[in-house]
Amino acid sequence: MSHPILSEFDIVFAGGGTTACVVAGRLAAYDPSLRILILEAGQHALDKPIHVQPCQFLLNQAPTSTTVTFNIGNPSSRLNGRTPIVPCGRCVGGCSCVNLMLYTRAPASDYDDWGVNGWESENLIPLMKKLETYEVRPDLPTHGYDGPIKVSSGGCKLGICDEFIQVGTTYHKRQYADDTNDLETCNTYSPWQKYIDGTTGKRSDAAHHYVYNQAHNQNLQIWDGKRVKRIIFEDKRAVGVEFASDPVSFPDADQSLSIVRASKLVIVSSGTFGSPTILERSGIGAEAVLKRCGIEQLVNLPGVGENYQDHNNAFVPYLAADEVVTMDALWRGESILQESLAQWNSNGKSLIAQNGLDSKIKWRPDDEELKAMDPVFQPRWKEFFQDRPDKAVAIFAALAGYVSPLSRPLNLPPRNYMTASYYTLYPMSVGSVHIKLTENGKEGMDFTAGYLDDPSDIAPLDFGYKKTREIFRRMASYRGEVTAGHPNFPEGSAAACGEVSGPVDLNAPDIIYTAEDDEAINQFHRDIVQTAWHSLGTCAMKPEADQGVVDARLNVYGVSNLKVADMSISPLNVGTNTYSTALLIGERAAMIIAEDLGINCMDLTRARLR
């Protein structure tokens, strides 16, 4: 069957998420004569309030949202039979346009642990600095001050987050640090900076700051609403991409297939879910997967779609004092919304330029806390964490407002809330992402999240519930628990939840939990633990013999002129909100590709993006 060939470009990107925008934007700035095409299934994000106004991040996660794809996992007995849901970005700019904008960076040692030539931290730190403008504090050696991505404290400060730090540095007996994103500091309470432009108050995403700002370059094209089906090969050389109009973005458009050719390179950049499935539809993957879908195998690469990893996250709601400022009234659309919009339009300030998260701790347990945790965690602690003081076990944070778990949304009465958020950074469990044929013969996704499959993964979550509850109980704005959002403790339990008139004393005794209470907490987490929106690993940059998919220069094994560049290449988990790593992969990929094309990208003045 022949398809119309629309045009030819030098480089075609299959997917237009965070990393694709970085790579395409840098290459276009290095050499404006390069003909570059980005194919993205989602729609444009340019200047749309849902993307540029930071406070609107929750709307992107709403069940009716079309700016994310909701990937539905297989049911898991470890999650009490639940099917996990993992949203990922579905618009130009990908997750950078829909995420919570939390500025976190992994310890430098995470990248050294990859053991990949050219990806050591000493090679990556200059790129970390190159990509950012750190507006929080000048002259810090690991931060950058002239890059396209802005980092600030947001448009206003929230008192709840100061309370979290105050209790953390007293009751929790941890130190305070202004900056825990210096690539090594952890286990201290700190402010939480954001990917928000401190001047405009707008989200700082990859779409606006790498590609939309080069609209003058007609050689850089973005075709939105185009879903890539597969890569076109000639003798195992990638020469183009087959695609169709996306039925969600453009439901009335013609769904027939078209081909666009790439004279130099095809780059698959559709993320942890999209990239392995494009490879499999193109005949690259494990024989058994391809055979059951009736796809002729081009390259036997059994690592495709394996090594799925994420962070395990929990949201737990609390009642907050009437007089404290939270995001709730704004999110409900009350009068404060119009007042805040007017201020934001005037000077970039107000709650519009907020995500509700101003403080955190990258937490490591002390000896006393280790003893209090389930012993199942001890081997993992000794093997991985004990002698690596820069590796945090989890992040604990206070959110000024109510954010519901994906699996248990609550319809709460209008008032002020605050939410404890805690998520583990290096869980042991792994899953997989593959294509499959559904009962009606259409293509579906065979997604196993793997959450909590390893027994050690739930122990830090169970402890995280107890510790964050003790911290919140001592915060000045605490007015009790939202009972429906907490474990179902047995009647008469000392851990019973409910509304109260105020916080307990800083030196009050901790809640004593019985074995039945512990079981209630454990079951609670199996019912509500979810993605942290940090999926990675399914096209791992590892040796082919070790289930790798791409080499150190991002080339897909067994074919030519085909690379993968997105979070799917990460061979190991990273202790961070992954936007920072996606940007970093993009910067490194742009250098690699420029070198392949003979472009001198070391002259940074040629590729300045603002």
Side-chain angles (χ1 to χ4, degrees):
M1 180 179 179
S2 62
H3 307 300
I5 298 175
L6 294 180
S7 190
E8 180 173 280
F9 291 79
D10 296 317
I11 301 172
V12 175
F13 287 83
T18 301
T19 304
C21 288
V22 175
V23 181
R26 284 295 186 196
L27 292 175
Y30 289 146
D31 183 356
S33 71
L34 278 174
R35 298 169 301 159
I36 299 171
L37 173 64
I38 298 173
L39 295 169
E40 166 56 41
Q43 296 185 2
H44 275 293
L46 181 62
D47 294 333
K48 293 180 179 178
I50 195 173
H51 298 301
V52 300
Q53 293 180 6
C55 67
Q56 292 208 40
F57 72 89
L58 276 181
L59 293 180
N60 293 293
Q61 307 295 331
T64 56
S65 171
T66 59
T67 61
V68 300
T69 297
F70 294 97
N71 299 287
I72 311 300
N74 298 321
S76 168
S77 61
R78 303 294 196 282
L79 304 179
N80 288 338
R82 276 194 301 132
T83 55
I85 302 169
V86 181
C88 63
R90 194 181 181 285
C91 56
V92 176
C95 286
S96 76
C97 291
V98 301
N99 64 19
L100 273 67
M101 299 153 289
L102 295 167
Y103 177 73
T104 322
R105 298 201 290 180
S109 65
D110 275 4
Y111 301 107
D112 295 324
D113 292 346
W114 288 5
V116 180
N117 184 43
W119 293 80
E120 302 86 354
S121 61
E122 64 178 4
N123 295 313
L124 298 181
I125 290 172
L127 299 179
M128 297 180 199
K129 297 169 69 172
K130 175 184 175 183
L131 68 85
E132 72 178 19
T133 293
Y134 191 73
E135 300 177 341
V136 181
R137 184 176 158 195
D139 304 322
L140 296 175
T142 62
H143 290 286
Y145 295 92
D146 195 31
I149 299 297
K150 310 299 189 296
V151 178
S152 75
S153 299
C156 62
K157 198 164 186 181
L158 295 164
I160 279 176
C161 301
D162 285 338
E163 295 175 24
F164 183 74
I165 290 176
Q166 190 271 328
V167 175
T169 54
T170 51
Y171 159 77
H172 197 196
K173 297 182 174 64
R174 296 300 201 275
Q175 298 297 308
Y176 172 86
D178 284 327
D179 181 21
T180 55
N181 288 308
D182 60 358
L183 311 178
E184 60 179 5
T185 300
C186 75
N187 215 20
T188 62
Y189 282 82
S190 68
W192 206 341
Q193 286 76 40
K194 303 162 180 63
Y195 288 104
I196 296 175
D197 187 313
T199 302
T200 66
K202 294 180 179 180
R203 174 192 290 270
S204 196
D205 61 77
H208 287 85
H209 296 287
Y210 282 91
V211 293
Y212 286 147
N213 54 357
Q214 297 191 71
H216 57 279
N217 182 352
Q218 295 300 304
N219 285 325
L220 174 58
Q221 294 194 27
I222 305 168
W223 296 355
D224 69 325
K226 305 300 183 188
R227 176 167 294 279
V228 171
K229 180 180 180 183
R230 63 187 179 103
I231 312 303
I232 303 299
F233 291 95
E234 293 176 0
D235 298 325
K236 294 193 176 181
R237 173 188 170 92
V239 296
V241 168
E242 186 180 70
F243 67 94
S245 292
D246 182 79
V248 176
S249 294
F250 297 106
D252 298 326
D254 181 5
Q255 299 294 313
S256 61
L257 293 166
S258 299
I259 290 173
V260 63
R261 292 186 69 89
S263 62
K264 298 183 185 295
L265 186 64
V266 174
I267 302 170
V268 178
S269 49
S270 291
T272 298
F273 293 92
S275 289
T277 53
I278 287 175
L279 291 181
E280 288 179 339
R281 288 196 296 269
S282 307
I284 301 173
E287 182 179 8
V289 172
L290 303 182
K291 190 173 182 179
R292 73 187 182 207
C293 295
I295 296 172
E296 183 179 351
Q297 188 178 57
L298 180 71
V299 177
N300 183 35
L301 210 55
V304 172
E306 296 297 309
N307 192 48
Y308 174 85
Q309 299 183 56
D310 196 352
H311 298 146
N312 299 151
N313 183 40
F315 288 119
V316 182
Y318 291 82
L319 304 170
D322 292 338
E323 63 273 14
V324 72
V325 176
T326 71
M327 302 293 290
D328 296 295
L330 185 102
W331 286 338
R332 287 192 296 265
E334 296 178 11
S335 59
I336 191 174
L337 174 59
Q338 294 306 317
E339 300 164 16
S340 299
L341 271 173
Q343 184 181 352
W344 183 77
N345 285 320
S346 171
N347 61 11
K349 305 301 180 185
S350 84
L351 288 175
I352 301 296
Q354 252 292 357
N355 59 6
L357 284 149
D358 276 350
S359 56
K360 69 176 185 304
I361 178 173
K362 295 179 178 180
W363 167 77
R364 285 171 61 86
D366 57 27
D367 290 344
E368 184 178 335
E369 290 172 332
L370 269 175
K371 291 176 184 174
M373 293 173 69
D374 190 319
V376 73
F377 183 67
Q378 297 296 330
R380 176 64 172 161
W381 170 261
K382 291 175 182 175
E383 174 265 329
F384 184 78
F385 293 102
Q386 184 170 274
D387 298 325
R388 294 180 170 100
D390 59 339
K391 310 276 197 193
V393 173
I395 288 180
F396 298 165
L399 194 154
Y402 171 63
V403 172
S404 68
L406 289 167
S407 64
R408 190 188 283 185
L410 301 174
N411 187 17
L412 299 179
R415 62 163 296 165
N416 284 338
Y417 298 93
M418 52 189 187
T419 303
S421 171
Y422 47 94
Y423 53 98
T424 51
L425 297 175
Y426 304 97
M428 286 283 286
S429 302
V430 296
S432 60
V433 175
H434 296 292
I435 58 172
K436 70 175 181 180
L437 289 181
T438 61
E439 290 180 357
N440 61 7
K442 293 187 176 181
E443 184 190 309
M445 184 178 291
D446 181 12
F447 167 39
T448 299
Y451 298 156
L452 306 185
D453 280 359
D454 189 285
S456 69
D457 287 346
I458 201 169
L461 294 168
D462 290 348
F463 184 84
Y465 171 83
K466 295 178 180 180
K467 183 57 69 175
T468 54
R469 184 171 175 186
E470 294 298 344
I471 293 168
F472 272 59
R473 291 174 71 224
R474 289 161 173 80
M475 290 165 56
S477 297
Y478 168 83
R479 296 295 182 269
E481 295 81 23
V482 178
T483 303
H486 281 251
N488 184 22
F489 293 111
E491 188 174 347
S493 167
C497 299
E499 187 169 0
V500 296
S501 59
V504 301
D505 186 79
L506 200 65
N507 298 314
D510 288 356
I511 296 169
I512 303 297
Y513 293 89
T514 65
E516 291 79 9
D517 294 331
D518 287 343
E519 178 62 18
I521 295 171
N522 187 278
Q523 292 303 312
F524 168 72
H525 283 131
R526 297 187 188 280
D527 286 338
I528 65 107
V529 74
Q530 67 172 59
T531 179
W533 300 278
H534 300 160
S535 302
L536 56 83
T538 52
C539 295
M541 183 170 57
K542 297 195 292 187
E544 185 177 357
D546 190 27
Q547 287 207 316
V549 177
V550 298
D551 64 17
R553 297 190 70 80
L554 306 180
N555 300 303
V556 176
Y557 292 118
V559 295
S560 62
N561 280 50
L562 180 64
K563 294 182 188 285
V564 178
D566 54 37
M567 283 306 301
S568 73
I569 72 158
S570 182
L572 299 171
N573 221 324
V574 284
T576 180
N577 294 66
T578 47
Y579 180 26
S580 59
T581 303
L583 291 168
L584 180 59
I585 289 171
E587 292 284 2
R588 177 68 184 134
M591 287 188 67
I592 289 170
I593 295 163
E595 291 166 2
D596 288 353
L597 297 175
I599 300 170
N600 178 15
C601 61
M602 297 309 293
D603 181 3
L604 301 184
T605 60
R606 295 175 57 201
R608 179 165 293 179
L609 297 168
R610 301 303 298 168

